[in-house]
Amino acid sequence: QVQLLESGGGLVQAGGSLNLSCTASGLTFRFYTVAWFRQAPGKEREGVSCISWSGMSTYYADSVKGRVTISRDNAKNTLYLQMDNLKPEDSAMYYCAANYMSSCSRARYGYSYWGQGTQVTVSS
């Protein structure tokens, strides 16, 4: 059974930092392209960042470019998202997603597995 478990969310002031983690089980992590999505109340779920299964390709949404860094540790089956200089508009539920040996995609349908999410709230 595949499980993706996110952690690291919380309440932070604008300008602060958070480091999100997503630990995978039930799959061979190194063969999966993994991504972070976020969804704020009343808004569509949007792709934030992605790193390919090979680690050779990454994607960042324009809204976070220069402020977030995605990385993966295949030995620990874990995906990370380091977020700096957070803004109130970054407040959302953040989800981890995975898909087998695919290219990075900003679309929800590009991913087979999803976590339950971790809440990020940025106060002004």
Side-chain angles (χ1 to χ4, degrees):
Q1 179 181 355
V2 174
Q3 287 191 324
L4 301 176
L5 183 61
E6 302 96 334
S7 62
L11 174 63
V12 64
Q13 288 188 329
S17 297
L18 285 173
N19 189 20
L20 306 185
S21 298
C22 170
T23 300
S25 60
L27 52 76
T28 307
F29 184 72
R30 67 182 184 275
F31 291 139
Y32 280 76
T33 289
V34 281
W36 290 98
F37 284 73
R38 67 185 181 187
Q39 188 167 19
K43 294 189 176 182
E44 294 289 318
R45 190 171 297 190
E46 63 170 344
V48 176
S49 185
C50 171
I51 183 166
S52 64
W53 64 275
S54 66
M56 298 295 289
S57 176
T58 57
Y59 158 80
Y60 294 96
D62 288 342
S63 57
V64 302
K65 209 170 283 185
R67 299 189 296 117
V68 309
T69 303
I70 194 169
S71 62
R72 63 189 297 160
D73 186 338
N74 291 339
K76 295 183 178 179
N77 288 353
T78 301
L79 172 70
Y80 302 98
L81 188 71
Q82 175 66 41
M83 302 193 295
D84 300 312
N85 191 22
L86 283 161
K87 303 176 180 180
E89 52 263 42
D90 293 318
S91 297
M93 185 71 78
Y94 282 70
Y95 298 91
C96 171
N99 203 51
Y100 182 71
M101 293 189 79
S102 59
S103 301
C104 271
S105 171
R106 67 192 70 183
R108 292 181 62 173
Y109 57 78
Y111 298 89
S112 302
Y113 302 107
W114 291 84
Q116 294 298 306
T118 185
Q119 179 68 41
V120 171
T121 304
V122 184
S123 63
S124 56

